[in-house]
Amino acid sequence: MKILVTGGAGFIGSNFLNLFVPKFPEHTFINFDKLTYAANLLNLKNIDGSSNYIFKQGDLDDYNQVEKIFRQYQPGLIVHFAAESHVDRSILGPAEFIYTNIIGTFNLLEACRNNWDAKEGKLFHHISTDEVYGSLGETGKFKEETRYDPSSPYSASKAASDHLVRSYFKTYNLPVTITNCSNNYGPYQFPEKLIPLMILKALNNQKLPVYGKGENVRDWLYVEDHCEAIWQVVTRGQKGETYNIGGNCELKNIEVVKMICTILAELQGLAPDYYNKLITFVKDRPGHDLRYAIDSKKITKKLGWNPRETFETGLKKTIKWYLDNSDWLNSVQTGEYKKWMKLNYSAN
Ligand code: NAD
Ligand code: DAU
């Protein structure tokens, strides 16, 4: 099978390729990625050169480029990760989110519609987020039937792309599946997201900026568990269906940050509260969703998927990875990164 993976040089896409390219030599994986600030080819150094892996730089926003990839490789399975993914960036500049997340997804769907004459054995798998459902109060969990109620330009653009994907199933009978997942963490995550940002800032002895009172709750999932769930859906999922994926691991942000401080100190032989003094409460994110929690019963019942990693083991592994990969961490702290840090955190 030829598998077109979009956004495979980003965080989740590169974990997916690192797991499955060596495991399935019978499949060819074509990674189509624009290489935005969030991408890093160093993420893929372990599989670069594999005979079943091809990298193509390109932009989903340009239909001609997408069509060319289809003509050249005739993929039968699309695993669509590519997106602008950071909520704070969508607040300060929503345009890219509309282009990539909506137009980019539309272009891919159009390429499938125009190139897949026979739909047998084909699949378009769309990777989405629990943020499309908006915010939960103190109780309840997001189910596949939960009404969409996005809060940020990021989540609104992902909601629009989910609706487009479903409409192609209903209107054109295009074989599709969708997964909506909670917050991921693990190796190769760009240090603008909470966990790697806090690790990097602590290592640099900088303030740890916690939005509001740190009481917002996220449901954390180790990235490899997410990738395994995606593989189950693309190989055994029901066409036209949506599957929610979560870690069953709700934590307040302040709890996560304190755990990072403790583990980091422990791994470096420092006093357990060494980094806690850096925690600083800063201005809240506009439209900040209070709580996310996923009900994963459907994927567990239908496909037998369950997360393997606990948050304690996954977080320790992740922190160790960042400590052991200082070259990677240095490589991402470019001028663009410093500009973003200044832009997003200067008011604090
Ligand atoms: P990321 O920001 O780390 O990576 C995105 C990748 O997409 C980058 O490699 C980038 O170069 C590529 N890309 C961006 N615009 C492109 C374009 N126009 N054409 C081709 N490639 C383009 O994102 P991530 O965290 O790995 O997220 C991957 C997907 O998973 C996204 O769709 C996101 O919405 C979804 N998701 C993420 C999380 C999470 O916690 N990170 C949770 C649930 C769902
Ligand atoms: O829920 C899935 C989503 O999780 C994905 O769809 C997104 O692509 C991904 O970025 C993530 O979105 P969040 O906004 O939840 O993740 P982020 O790491 O940006 O923030 C996690 C929480 O931490 C959130 O409540 C905001 C808070 N936070 C974040 C940053 C960057 C802080 O308190 N301080 C910070 O500096």
mmCIF file with all atom_site columns, all heavy atoms in Angstrom, residues 9-12 33-36 39 58-61 81 83 85 100 128 154 158 181-182 184, ligand 1:
data_model
loop_
_atom_site.group_PDB
_atom_site.id
_atom_site.type_symbol
_atom_site.label_atom_id
_atom_site.label_alt_id
_atom_site.label_comp_id
_atom_site.label_asym_id
_atom_site.label_entity_id
_atom_site.label_seq_id
_atom_site.pdbx_PDB_ins_code
_atom_site.Cartn_x
_atom_site.Cartn_y
_atom_site.Cartn_z
_atom_site.occupancy
_atom_site.B_iso_or_equiv
_atom_site.pdbx_formal_charge
_atom_site.auth_seq_id
_atom_site.auth_comp_id
_atom_site.auth_asym_id
_atom_site.auth_atom_id
_atom_site.pdbx_PDB_model_num
ATOM   1   N N   . ALA A 1 9   ? 6.599   15.738 9.220  1.00 0.00 ? 9   ALA A N   1
ATOM   2   C CA  . ALA A 1 9   ? 7.811   16.265 9.867  1.00 0.00 ? 9   ALA A CA  1
ATOM   3   C C   . ALA A 1 9   ? 7.468   17.048 11.129 1.00 0.00 ? 9   ALA A C   1
ATOM   4   O O   . ALA A 1 9   ? 8.340   17.645 11.763 1.00 0.00 ? 9   ALA A O   1
ATOM   5   C CB  . ALA A 1 9   ? 8.596   17.154 8.892  1.00 0.00 ? 9   ALA A CB  1
ATOM   6   N N   . GLY A 1 10  ? 6.184   17.057 11.485 1.00 0.00 ? 10  GLY A N   1
ATOM   7   C CA  . GLY A 1 10  ? 5.768   17.719 12.737 1.00 0.00 ? 10  GLY A CA  1
ATOM   8   C C   . GLY A 1 10  ? 5.826   16.721 13.886 1.00 0.00 ? 10  GLY A C   1
ATOM   9   O O   . GLY A 1 10  ? 6.361   15.609 13.752 1.00 0.00 ? 10  GLY A O   1
ATOM   10  N N   . PHE A 1 11  ? 5.268   17.120 14.997 1.00 0.00 ? 11  PHE A N   1
ATOM   11  C CA  . PHE A 1 11  ? 5.375   16.322 16.237 1.00 0.00 ? 11  PHE A CA  1
ATOM   12  C C   . PHE A 1 11  ? 4.723   14.933 16.103 1.00 0.00 ? 11  PHE A C   1
ATOM   13  O O   . PHE A 1 11  ? 5.399   13.901 16.174 1.00 0.00 ? 11  PHE A O   1
ATOM   14  C CB  . PHE A 1 11  ? 4.745   17.153 17.369 1.00 0.00 ? 11  PHE A CB  1
ATOM   15  C CG  . PHE A 1 11  ? 4.402   16.410 18.615 1.00 0.00 ? 11  PHE A CG  1
ATOM   16  C CD1 . PHE A 1 11  ? 5.327   15.571 19.239 1.00 0.00 ? 11  PHE A CD1 1
ATOM   17  C CD2 . PHE A 1 11  ? 3.143   16.560 19.199 1.00 0.00 ? 11  PHE A CD2 1
ATOM   18  C CE1 . PHE A 1 11  ? 4.997   14.890 20.404 1.00 0.00 ? 11  PHE A CE1 1
ATOM   19  C CE2 . PHE A 1 11  ? 2.816   15.892 20.368 1.00 0.00 ? 11  PHE A CE2 1
ATOM   20  C CZ  . PHE A 1 11  ? 3.733   15.048 20.972 1.00 0.00 ? 11  PHE A CZ  1
ATOM   21  N N   . ILE A 1 12  ? 3.417   14.887 15.884 1.00 0.00 ? 12  ILE A N   1
ATOM   22  C CA  . ILE A 1 12  ? 2.738   13.576 15.907 1.00 0.00 ? 12  ILE A CA  1
ATOM   23  C C   . ILE A 1 12  ? 3.077   12.779 14.639 1.00 0.00 ? 12  ILE A C   1
ATOM   24  O O   . ILE A 1 12  ? 3.343   11.573 14.700 1.00 0.00 ? 12  ILE A O   1
ATOM   25  C CB  . ILE A 1 12  ? 1.207   13.724 16.059 1.00 0.00 ? 12  ILE A CB  1
ATOM   26  C CG1 . ILE A 1 12  ? 0.877   14.594 17.285 1.00 0.00 ? 12  ILE A CG1 1
ATOM   27  C CG2 . ILE A 1 12  ? 0.549   12.349 16.207 1.00 0.00 ? 12  ILE A CG2 1
ATOM   28  C CD1 . ILE A 1 12  ? -0.599  14.886 17.479 1.00 0.00 ? 12  ILE A CD1 1
ATOM   29  N N   . ASP A 1 33  ? 5.209   17.456 3.339  1.00 0.00 ? 33  ASP A N   1
ATOM   30  C CA  . ASP A 1 33  ? 5.241   18.445 4.417  1.00 0.00 ? 33  ASP A CA  1
ATOM   31  C C   . ASP A 1 33  ? 5.790   19.772 3.899  1.00 0.00 ? 33  ASP A C   1
ATOM   32  O O   . ASP A 1 33  ? 6.762   19.802 3.157  1.00 0.00 ? 33  ASP A O   1
ATOM   33  C CB  . ASP A 1 33  ? 6.128   17.922 5.559  1.00 0.00 ? 33  ASP A CB  1
ATOM   34  C CG  . ASP A 1 33  ? 5.893   18.658 6.864  1.00 0.00 ? 33  ASP A CG  1
ATOM   35  O OD1 . ASP A 1 33  ? 6.123   19.893 6.900  1.00 0.00 ? 33  ASP A OD1 1
ATOM   36  O OD2 . ASP A 1 33  ? 5.469   18.031 7.841  1.00 0.00 ? 33  ASP A OD2 1
ATOM   37  N N   . LYS A 1 34  ? 5.176   20.842 4.332  1.00 0.00 ? 34  LYS A N   1
ATOM   38  C CA  . LYS A 1 34  ? 5.603   22.181 3.901  1.00 0.00 ? 34  LYS A CA  1
ATOM   39  C C   . LYS A 1 34  ? 6.894   22.619 4.589  1.00 0.00 ? 34  LYS A C   1
ATOM   40  O O   . LYS A 1 34  ? 7.576   23.526 4.134  1.00 0.00 ? 34  LYS A O   1
ATOM   41  C CB  . LYS A 1 34  ? 4.472   23.159 4.246  1.00 0.00 ? 34  LYS A CB  1
ATOM   42  C CG  . LYS A 1 34  ? 4.682   24.597 3.833  1.00 0.00 ? 34  LYS A CG  1
ATOM   43  C CD  . LYS A 1 34  ? 3.424   25.405 4.157  1.00 0.00 ? 34  LYS A CD  1
ATOM   44  C CE  . LYS A 1 34  ? 3.632   26.881 3.925  1.00 0.00 ? 34  LYS A CE  1
ATOM   45  N NZ  . LYS A 1 34  ? 2.419   27.657 4.238  1.00 0.00 ? 34  LYS A NZ  1
ATOM   46  N N   . LEU A 1 35  ? 7.203   21.981 5.716  1.00 0.00 ? 35  LEU A N   1
ATOM   47  C CA  . LEU A 1 35  ? 8.331   22.381 6.565  1.00 0.00 ? 35  LEU A CA  1
ATOM   48  C C   . LEU A 1 35  ? 8.133   23.797 7.097  1.00 0.00 ? 35  LEU A C   1
ATOM   49  O O   . LEU A 1 35  ? 8.928   24.706 6.819  1.00 0.00 ? 35  LEU A O   1
ATOM   50  C CB  . LEU A 1 35  ? 9.682   22.231 5.834  1.00 0.00 ? 35  LEU A CB  1
ATOM   51  C CG  . LEU A 1 35  ? 10.064  20.814 5.421  1.00 0.00 ? 35  LEU A CG  1
ATOM   52  C CD1 . LEU A 1 35  ? 11.469  20.776 4.807  1.00 0.00 ? 35  LEU A CD1 1
ATOM   53  C CD2 . LEU A 1 35  ? 10.002  19.828 6.597  1.00 0.00 ? 35  LEU A CD2 1
ATOM   54  N N   . THR A 1 36  ? 7.078   23.987 7.837  1.00 0.00 ? 36  THR A N   1
ATOM   55  C CA  . THR A 1 36  ? 6.859   25.258 8.531  1.00 0.00 ? 36  THR A CA  1
ATOM   56  C C   . THR A 1 36  ? 7.775   25.296 9.755  1.00 0.00 ? 36  THR A C   1
ATOM   57  O O   . THR A 1 36  ? 8.523   24.343 10.008 1.00 0.00 ? 36  THR A O   1
ATOM   58  C CB  . THR A 1 36  ? 5.402   25.379 9.028  1.00 0.00 ? 36  THR A CB  1
ATOM   59  O OG1 . THR A 1 36  ? 5.203   24.406 10.077 1.00 0.00 ? 36  THR A OG1 1
ATOM   60  C CG2 . THR A 1 36  ? 4.390   25.167 7.914  1.00 0.00 ? 36  THR A CG2 1
ATOM   61  N N   . ALA A 1 39  ? 8.010   22.109 11.861 1.00 0.00 ? 39  ALA A N   1
ATOM   62  C CA  . ALA A 1 39  ? 8.571   20.864 11.323 1.00 0.00 ? 39  ALA A CA  1
ATOM   63  C C   . ALA A 1 39  ? 10.070  20.805 11.606 1.00 0.00 ? 39  ALA A C   1
ATOM   64  O O   . ALA A 1 39  ? 10.718  21.830 11.804 1.00 0.00 ? 39  ALA A O   1
ATOM   65  C CB  . ALA A 1 39  ? 8.341   20.818 9.819  1.00 0.00 ? 39  ALA A CB  1
ATOM   66  N N   . GLY A 1 58  ? 6.222   20.194 0.241  1.00 0.00 ? 58  GLY A N   1
ATOM   67  C CA  . GLY A 1 58  ? 5.153   20.785 -0.550 1.00 0.00 ? 58  GLY A CA  1
ATOM   68  C C   . GLY A 1 58  ? 4.089   21.399 0.337  1.00 0.00 ? 58  GLY A C   1
ATOM   69  O O   . GLY A 1 58  ? 4.060   21.166 1.543  1.00 0.00 ? 58  GLY A O   1
ATOM   70  N N   . ASP A 1 59  ? 3.225   22.175 -0.320 1.00 0.00 ? 59  ASP A N   1
ATOM   71  C CA  . ASP A 1 59  ? 2.229   22.963 0.400  1.00 0.00 ? 59  ASP A CA  1
ATOM   72  C C   . ASP A 1 59  ? 0.822   22.505 0.023  1.00 0.00 ? 59  ASP A C   1
ATOM   73  O O   . ASP A 1 59  ? 0.424   22.586 -1.147 1.00 0.00 ? 59  ASP A O   1
ATOM   74  C CB  . ASP A 1 59  ? 2.437   24.445 0.013  1.00 0.00 ? 59  ASP A CB  1
ATOM   75  C CG  . ASP A 1 59  ? 1.601   25.378 0.847  1.00 0.00 ? 59  ASP A CG  1
ATOM   76  O OD1 . ASP A 1 59  ? 0.693   24.901 1.554  1.00 0.00 ? 59  ASP A OD1 1
ATOM   77  O OD2 . ASP A 1 59  ? 1.855   26.604 0.776  1.00 0.00 ? 59  ASP A OD2 1
ATOM   78  N N   . LEU A 1 60  ? 0.075   22.058 1.011  1.00 0.00 ? 60  LEU A N   1
ATOM   79  C CA  . LEU A 1 60  ? -1.301  21.592 0.760  1.00 0.00 ? 60  LEU A CA  1
ATOM   80  C C   . LEU A 1 60  ? -2.219  22.701 0.265  1.00 0.00 ? 60  LEU A C   1
ATOM   81  O O   . LEU A 1 60  ? -3.263  22.421 -0.328 1.00 0.00 ? 60  LEU A O   1
ATOM   82  C CB  . LEU A 1 60  ? -1.909  21.066 2.074  1.00 0.00 ? 60  LEU A CB  1
ATOM   83  C CG  . LEU A 1 60  ? -1.503  19.686 2.550  1.00 0.00 ? 60  LEU A CG  1
ATOM   84  C CD1 . LEU A 1 60  ? -2.141  19.422 3.905  1.00 0.00 ? 60  LEU A CD1 1
ATOM   85  C CD2 . LEU A 1 60  ? -1.949  18.633 1.559  1.00 0.00 ? 60  LEU A CD2 1
ATOM   86  N N   . ASP A 1 61  ? -1.826  23.945 0.546  1.00 0.00 ? 61  ASP A N   1
ATOM   87  C CA  . ASP A 1 61  ? -2.685  25.066 0.138  1.00 0.00 ? 61  ASP A CA  1
ATOM   88  C C   . ASP A 1 61  ? -2.730  25.218 -1.386 1.00 0.00 ? 61  ASP A C   1
ATOM   89  O O   . ASP A 1 61  ? -3.580  25.922 -1.919 1.00 0.00 ? 61  ASP A O   1
ATOM   90  C CB  . ASP A 1 61  ? -2.183  26.399 0.731  1.00 0.00 ? 61  ASP A CB  1
ATOM   91  C CG  . ASP A 1 61  ? -2.043  26.352 2.239  1.00 0.00 ? 61  ASP A CG  1
ATOM   92  O OD1 . ASP A 1 61  ? -2.307  25.279 2.816  1.00 0.00 ? 61  ASP A OD1 1
ATOM   93  O OD2 . ASP A 1 61  ? -1.666  27.368 2.839  1.00 0.00 ? 61  ASP A OD2 1
ATOM   94  N N   . PHE A 1 81  ? -2.188  14.558 8.882  1.00 0.00 ? 81  PHE A N   1
ATOM   95  C CA  . PHE A 1 81  ? -1.785  15.249 10.113 1.00 0.00 ? 81  PHE A CA  1
ATOM   96  C C   . PHE A 1 81  ? -1.601  16.750 9.896  1.00 0.00 ? 81  PHE A C   1
ATOM   97  O O   . PHE A 1 81  ? -1.719  17.530 10.838 1.00 0.00 ? 81  PHE A O   1
ATOM   98  C CB  . PHE A 1 81  ? -0.418  14.737 10.597 1.00 0.00 ? 81  PHE A CB  1
ATOM   99  C CG  . PHE A 1 81  ? -0.387  13.343 11.125 1.00 0.00 ? 81  PHE A CG  1
ATOM   100 C CD1 . PHE A 1 81  ? 0.067   12.294 10.337 1.00 0.00 ? 81  PHE A CD1 1
ATOM   101 C CD2 . PHE A 1 81  ? -0.792  13.069 12.417 1.00 0.00 ? 81  PHE A CD2 1
ATOM   102 C CE1 . PHE A 1 81  ? 0.124   10.996 10.836 1.00 0.00 ? 81  PHE A CE1 1
ATOM   103 C CE2 . PHE A 1 81  ? -0.748  11.787 12.925 1.00 0.00 ? 81  PHE A CE2 1
ATOM   104 C CZ  . PHE A 1 81  ? -0.284  10.749 12.131 1.00 0.00 ? 81  PHE A CZ  1
ATOM   105 N N   . ALA A 1 83  ? -1.267  20.519 9.701  1.00 0.00 ? 83  ALA A N   1
ATOM   106 C CA  . ALA A 1 83  ? -2.140  21.595 10.192 1.00 0.00 ? 83  ALA A CA  1
ATOM   107 C C   . ALA A 1 83  ? -1.278  22.668 10.831 1.00 0.00 ? 83  ALA A C   1
ATOM   108 O O   . ALA A 1 83  ? -0.119  22.431 11.175 1.00 0.00 ? 83  ALA A O   1
ATOM   109 C CB  . ALA A 1 83  ? -3.113  21.051 11.238 1.00 0.00 ? 83  ALA A CB  1
ATOM   110 N N   . SER A 1 85  ? -1.176  24.153 14.308 1.00 0.00 ? 85  SER A N   1
ATOM   111 C CA  . SER A 1 85  ? -1.715  23.425 15.471 1.00 0.00 ? 85  SER A CA  1
ATOM   112 C C   . SER A 1 85  ? -1.699  24.188 16.793 1.00 0.00 ? 85  SER A C   1
ATOM   113 O O   . SER A 1 85  ? -2.177  23.670 17.793 1.00 0.00 ? 85  SER A O   1
ATOM   114 C CB  . SER A 1 85  ? -0.924  22.125 15.645 1.00 0.00 ? 85  SER A CB  1
ATOM   115 O OG  . SER A 1 85  ? 0.399   22.418 16.073 1.00 0.00 ? 85  SER A OG  1
ATOM   116 N N   . THR A 1 100 ? -4.327  26.552 5.764  1.00 0.00 ? 100 THR A N   1
ATOM   117 C CA  . THR A 1 100 ? -3.855  25.158 5.852  1.00 0.00 ? 100 THR A CA  1
ATOM   118 C C   . THR A 1 100 ? -4.943  24.211 6.339  1.00 0.00 ? 100 THR A C   1
ATOM   119 O O   . THR A 1 100 ? -5.180  23.161 5.743  1.00 0.00 ? 100 THR A O   1
ATOM   120 C CB  . THR A 1 100 ? -2.616  25.073 6.769  1.00 0.00 ? 100 THR A CB  1
ATOM   121 O OG1 . THR A 1 100 ? -1.537  25.685 6.081  1.00 0.00 ? 100 THR A OG1 1
ATOM   122 C CG2 . THR A 1 100 ? -2.248  23.632 7.101  1.00 0.00 ? 100 THR A CG2 1
ATOM   123 N N   . SER A 1 128 ? -8.004  14.841 13.914 1.00 0.00 ? 128 SER A N   1
ATOM   124 C CA  . SER A 1 128 ? -8.545  16.073 14.496 1.00 0.00 ? 128 SER A CA  1
ATOM   125 C C   . SER A 1 128 ? -8.404  16.076 16.019 1.00 0.00 ? 128 SER A C   1
ATOM   126 O O   . SER A 1 128 ? -7.704  15.234 16.587 1.00 0.00 ? 128 SER A O   1
ATOM   127 C CB  . SER A 1 128 ? -9.984  16.283 14.038 1.00 0.00 ? 128 SER A CB  1
ATOM   128 O OG  . SER A 1 128 ? -10.382 17.599 14.361 1.00 0.00 ? 128 SER A OG  1
ATOM   129 N N   . TYR A 1 154 ? -8.134  28.327 15.888 1.00 0.00 ? 154 TYR A N   1
ATOM   130 C CA  . TYR A 1 154 ? -7.587  26.985 15.608 1.00 0.00 ? 154 TYR A CA  1
ATOM   131 C C   . TYR A 1 154 ? -8.693  25.941 15.635 1.00 0.00 ? 154 TYR A C   1
ATOM   132 O O   . TYR A 1 154 ? -8.882  25.186 14.671 1.00 0.00 ? 154 TYR A O   1
ATOM   133 C CB  . TYR A 1 154 ? -6.497  26.620 16.637 1.00 0.00 ? 154 TYR A CB  1
ATOM   134 C CG  . TYR A 1 154 ? -6.205  25.131 16.690 1.00 0.00 ? 154 TYR A CG  1
ATOM   135 C CD1 . TYR A 1 154 ? -5.573  24.476 15.635 1.00 0.00 ? 154 TYR A CD1 1
ATOM   136 C CD2 . TYR A 1 154 ? -6.590  24.355 17.803 1.00 0.00 ? 154 TYR A CD2 1
ATOM   137 C CE1 . TYR A 1 154 ? -5.332  23.102 15.670 1.00 0.00 ? 154 TYR A CE1 1
ATOM   138 C CE2 . TYR A 1 154 ? -6.344  22.986 17.845 1.00 0.00 ? 154 TYR A CE2 1
ATOM   139 C CZ  . TYR A 1 154 ? -5.711  22.362 16.779 1.00 0.00 ? 154 TYR A CZ  1
ATOM   140 O OH  . TYR A 1 154 ? -5.472  21.007 16.811 1.00 0.00 ? 154 TYR A OH  1
ATOM   141 N N   . LYS A 1 158 ? -10.332 23.585 12.637 1.00 0.00 ? 158 LYS A N   1
ATOM   142 C CA  . LYS A 1 158 ? -10.352 22.115 12.664 1.00 0.00 ? 158 LYS A CA  1
ATOM   143 C C   . LYS A 1 158 ? -11.794 21.609 12.564 1.00 0.00 ? 158 LYS A C   1
ATOM   144 O O   . LYS A 1 158 ? -12.067 20.612 11.902 1.00 0.00 ? 158 LYS A O   1
ATOM   145 C CB  . LYS A 1 158 ? -9.704  21.591 13.954 1.00 0.00 ? 158 LYS A CB  1
ATOM   146 C CG  . LYS A 1 158 ? -8.210  21.808 14.067 1.00 0.00 ? 158 LYS A CG  1
ATOM   147 C CD  . LYS A 1 158 ? -7.376  21.089 13.022 1.00 0.00 ? 158 LYS A CD  1
ATOM   148 C CE  . LYS A 1 158 ? -7.328  19.601 13.214 1.00 0.00 ? 158 LYS A CE  1
ATOM   149 N NZ  . LYS A 1 158 ? -6.363  18.969 12.267 1.00 0.00 ? 158 LYS A NZ  1
ATOM   150 N N   . CYS A 1 181 ? -8.664  13.692 19.067 1.00 0.00 ? 181 CYS A N   1
ATOM   151 C CA  . CYS A 1 181 ? -7.797  13.281 20.180 1.00 0.00 ? 181 CYS A CA  1
ATOM   152 C C   . CYS A 1 181 ? -7.557  14.423 21.168 1.00 0.00 ? 181 CYS A C   1
ATOM   153 O O   . CYS A 1 181 ? -7.633  15.601 20.824 1.00 0.00 ? 181 CYS A O   1
ATOM   154 C CB  . CYS A 1 181 ? -6.461  12.790 19.615 1.00 0.00 ? 181 CYS A CB  1
ATOM   155 S SG  . CYS A 1 181 ? -5.410  12.055 20.864 1.00 0.00 ? 181 CYS A SG  1
ATOM   156 N N   . SER A 1 182 ? -7.220  14.028 22.387 1.00 0.00 ? 182 SER A N   1
ATOM   157 C CA  . SER A 1 182 ? -6.899  14.999 23.445 1.00 0.00 ? 182 SER A CA  1
ATOM   158 C C   . SER A 1 182 ? -5.426  15.418 23.345 1.00 0.00 ? 182 SER A C   1
ATOM   159 O O   . SER A 1 182 ? -4.730  15.036 22.403 1.00 0.00 ? 182 SER A O   1
ATOM   160 C CB  . SER A 1 182 ? -7.196  14.374 24.800 1.00 0.00 ? 182 SER A CB  1
ATOM   161 O OG  . SER A 1 182 ? -6.351  13.255 24.986 1.00 0.00 ? 182 SER A OG  1
ATOM   162 N N   . ASN A 1 184 ? -1.606  15.695 23.327 1.00 0.00 ? 184 ASN A N   1
ATOM   163 C CA  . ASN A 1 184 ? -0.484  14.760 23.220 1.00 0.00 ? 184 ASN A CA  1
ATOM   164 C C   . ASN A 1 184 ? 0.767   15.363 23.858 1.00 0.00 ? 184 ASN A C   1
ATOM   165 O O   . ASN A 1 184 ? 0.929   16.579 23.896 1.00 0.00 ? 184 ASN A O   1
ATOM   166 C CB  . ASN A 1 184 ? -0.130  14.511 21.753 1.00 0.00 ? 184 ASN A CB  1
ATOM   167 C CG  . ASN A 1 184 ? -1.102  13.600 21.026 1.00 0.00 ? 184 ASN A CG  1
ATOM   168 O OD1 . ASN A 1 184 ? -0.710  12.857 20.143 1.00 0.00 ? 184 ASN A OD1 1
ATOM   169 N ND2 . ASN A 1 184 ? -2.370  13.627 21.378 1.00 0.00 ? 184 ASN A ND2 1
HETATM 170 P P1  . NAD B 2 .   ? 2.703   20.263 14.402 1.00 0.00 ? 1   NAD B P1  1
HETATM 171 O O1  . NAD B 2 .   ? 2.379   21.720 14.407 1.00 0.00 ? 1   NAD B O1  1
HETATM 172 O O2  . NAD B 2 .   ? 3.794   19.748 15.274 1.00 0.00 ? 1   NAD B O2  1
HETATM 173 O O3  . NAD B 2 .   ? 3.059   19.794 12.921 1.00 0.00 ? 1   NAD B O3  1
HETATM 174 C C1  . NAD B 2 .   ? 2.304   20.175 11.814 1.00 0.00 ? 1   NAD B C1  1
HETATM 175 C C2  . NAD B 2 .   ? 3.039   19.745 10.556 1.00 0.00 ? 1   NAD B C2  1
HETATM 176 O O4  . NAD B 2 .   ? 2.228   20.115 9.420  1.00 0.00 ? 1   NAD B O4  1
HETATM 177 C C3  . NAD B 2 .   ? 4.392   20.428 10.369 1.00 0.00 ? 1   NAD B C3  1
HETATM 178 O O5  . NAD B 2 .   ? 5.365   19.478 10.008 1.00 0.00 ? 1   NAD B O5  1
HETATM 179 C C4  . NAD B 2 .   ? 4.153   21.421 9.238  1.00 0.00 ? 1   NAD B C4  1
HETATM 180 O O6  . NAD B 2 .   ? 5.294   21.694 8.461  1.00 0.00 ? 1   NAD B O6  1
HETATM 181 C C5  . NAD B 2 .   ? 3.074   20.714 8.445  1.00 0.00 ? 1   NAD B C5  1
HETATM 182 N N1  . NAD B 2 .   ? 2.273   21.680 7.640  1.00 0.00 ? 1   NAD B N1  1
HETATM 183 C C6  . NAD B 2 .   ? 1.700   22.834 8.088  1.00 0.00 ? 1   NAD B C6  1
HETATM 184 N N2  . NAD B 2 .   ? 1.098   23.468 7.066  1.00 0.00 ? 1   NAD B N2  1
HETATM 185 C C7  . NAD B 2 .   ? 1.246   22.693 5.964  1.00 0.00 ? 1   NAD B C7  1
HETATM 186 C C8  . NAD B 2 .   ? 0.835   22.812 4.605  1.00 0.00 ? 1   NAD B C8  1
HETATM 187 N N3  . NAD B 2 .   ? 0.153   23.859 4.197  1.00 0.00 ? 1   NAD B N3  1
HETATM 188 N N4  . NAD B 2 .   ? 1.180   21.826 3.747  1.00 0.00 ? 1   NAD B N4  1
HETATM 189 C C9  . NAD B 2 .   ? 1.899   20.747 4.163  1.00 0.00 ? 1   NAD B C9  1
HETATM 190 N N5  . NAD B 2 .   ? 2.326   20.597 5.429  1.00 0.00 ? 1   NAD B N5  1
HETATM 191 C C10 . NAD B 2 .   ? 2.004   21.548 6.328  1.00 0.00 ? 1   NAD B C10 1
HETATM 192 O O7  . NAD B 2 .   ? 1.327   19.517 14.709 1.00 0.00 ? 1   NAD B O7  1
HETATM 193 P P2  . NAD B 2 .   ? 1.048   18.230 15.611 1.00 0.00 ? 1   NAD B P2  1
HETATM 194 O O8  . NAD B 2 .   ? 0.997   18.625 17.024 1.00 0.00 ? 1   NAD B O8  1
HETATM 195 O O9  . NAD B 2 .   ? 1.944   17.153 15.162 1.00 0.00 ? 1   NAD B O9  1
HETATM 196 O O10 . NAD B 2 .   ? -0.455  17.921 15.160 1.00 0.00 ? 1   NAD B O10 1
HETATM 197 C C11 . NAD B 2 .   ? -0.726  17.087 14.026 1.00 0.00 ? 1   NAD B C11 1
HETATM 198 C C12 . NAD B 2 .   ? -2.222  16.985 13.845 1.00 0.00 ? 1   NAD B C12 1
HETATM 199 O O11 . NAD B 2 .   ? -2.824  16.438 15.016 1.00 0.00 ? 1   NAD B O11 1
HETATM 200 C C13 . NAD B 2 .   ? -2.907  18.323 13.606 1.00 0.00 ? 1   NAD B C13 1
HETATM 201 O O12 . NAD B 2 .   ? -3.899  18.127 12.642 1.00 0.00 ? 1   NAD B O12 1
HETATM 202 C C14 . NAD B 2 .   ? -3.527  18.672 14.959 1.00 0.00 ? 1   NAD B C14 1
HETATM 203 O O13 . NAD B 2 .   ? -4.680  19.460 14.787 1.00 0.00 ? 1   NAD B O13 1
HETATM 204 C C15 . NAD B 2 .   ? -3.867  17.291 15.481 1.00 0.00 ? 1   NAD B C15 1
HETATM 205 N N6  . NAD B 2 .   ? -3.882  17.150 16.944 1.00 0.00 ? 1   NAD B N6  1
HETATM 206 C C16 . NAD B 2 .   ? -2.810  17.556 17.691 1.00 0.00 ? 1   NAD B C16 1
HETATM 207 C C17 . NAD B 2 .   ? -2.807  17.329 19.072 1.00 0.00 ? 1   NAD B C17 1
HETATM 208 C C18 . NAD B 2 .   ? -1.640  17.745 19.922 1.00 0.00 ? 1   NAD B C18 1
HETATM 209 O O14 . NAD B 2 .   ? -1.740  17.675 21.152 1.00 0.00 ? 1   NAD B O14 1
HETATM 210 N N7  . NAD B 2 .   ? -0.519  18.160 19.360 1.00 0.00 ? 1   NAD B N7  1
HETATM 211 C C19 . NAD B 2 .   ? -3.908  16.714 19.667 1.00 0.00 ? 1   NAD B C19 1
HETATM 212 C C20 . NAD B 2 .   ? -4.990  16.336 18.866 1.00 0.00 ? 1   NAD B C20 1
HETATM 213 C C21 . NAD B 2 .   ? -4.958  16.532 17.495 1.00 0.00 ? 1   NAD B C21 1
#
